[in-house]
């Protein structure tokens, strides 16, 4: 069986495409991870970021853990996925979430 690993460049380009990620963060001792779908932003060579309300369960768990995992996949035209895990490198708090995503929605999600 051939090694299906993606190069660093291919991983970065894939992550820069519009996808919904699965975010997983520790939910505490004796519990499985808190996992949910989330939009994210990423530019090759940069840092992935997610937008969430301050004080939400997700934000509190990320702050407590200091790290989280994003898993991004697709099934068409071929199966491909990238999983990225690492520490939180910065946090910016806002009183309202109004920053629009500047990327187009995938065709299958447009109305």
């Amino acid at each position: 069986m051939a090694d299906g690993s993606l190069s660093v460049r291919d991983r970065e380009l894939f992550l820069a495409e519009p996808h919904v990620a699965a975010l997983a963060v520790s939910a505490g001792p004796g519990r499985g991870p808190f996992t949910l779908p989330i939009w994210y932003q990423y530019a090759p060579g940069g840092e992935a970021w997610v937008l969430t309300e301050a004080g939400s369960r997700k934000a509190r768990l990320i702050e407590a853990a200091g790290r989280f995992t994003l898993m991004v996949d697709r099934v068409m035209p071929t199966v491909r996925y990238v999983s990225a895990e690492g520490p939180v490198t910065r946090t910016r708090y806002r009183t309202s979430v109004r920053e629009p995503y500047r990327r187009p929605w995938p065709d299958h999600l447009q109305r």
Side-chain angles (χ1 to χ4, degrees), residues 4 6 11 14-15 71-74 78-83:
L6 299 173
R11 285 193 303 264
F14 179 74
L15 286 173
M71 197 284 294
V72 180
D73 70 340
R74 73 162 194 220
T78 59
V79 174
R80 178 172 278 188
Y81 72 92
V82 172
S83 181

Side-chain angles (χ1 to χ4, degrees), residues 22-104:
L23 181 145
V25 61
S26 173
R31 306 220 32 201
F34 180 60
T35 306
L36 66 153
I38 193 166
W39 284 100
Y40 69 95
Q41 291 282 333
Y42 178 76
E47 298 177 325
W49 66 268
V50 297
L51 189 61
T52 189
E53 272 187 64
S56 67
R57 180 174 184 215
K58 175 179 28 180
R60 291 189 317 268
L61 290 173
I62 290 170
E63 186 174 339
R67 62 190 321 108
F68 61 90
T69 299
L70 288 178
M71 197 284 294
V72 180
D73 70 340
R74 73 162 194 220
V75 294
M76 296 298 285
T78 59
V79 174
R80 178 172 278 188
Y81 72 92
V82 172
S83 181
E85 186 273 341
V88 173
T89 57
R90 78 187 114 162
T91 303
R92 185 173 65 189
Y93 294 101
R94 295 173 165 235
T95 55
S96 71
V97 178
R98 295 184 184 258
E99 187 167 340
Y101 285 89
R102 295 187 192 117
R103 57 173 40 175

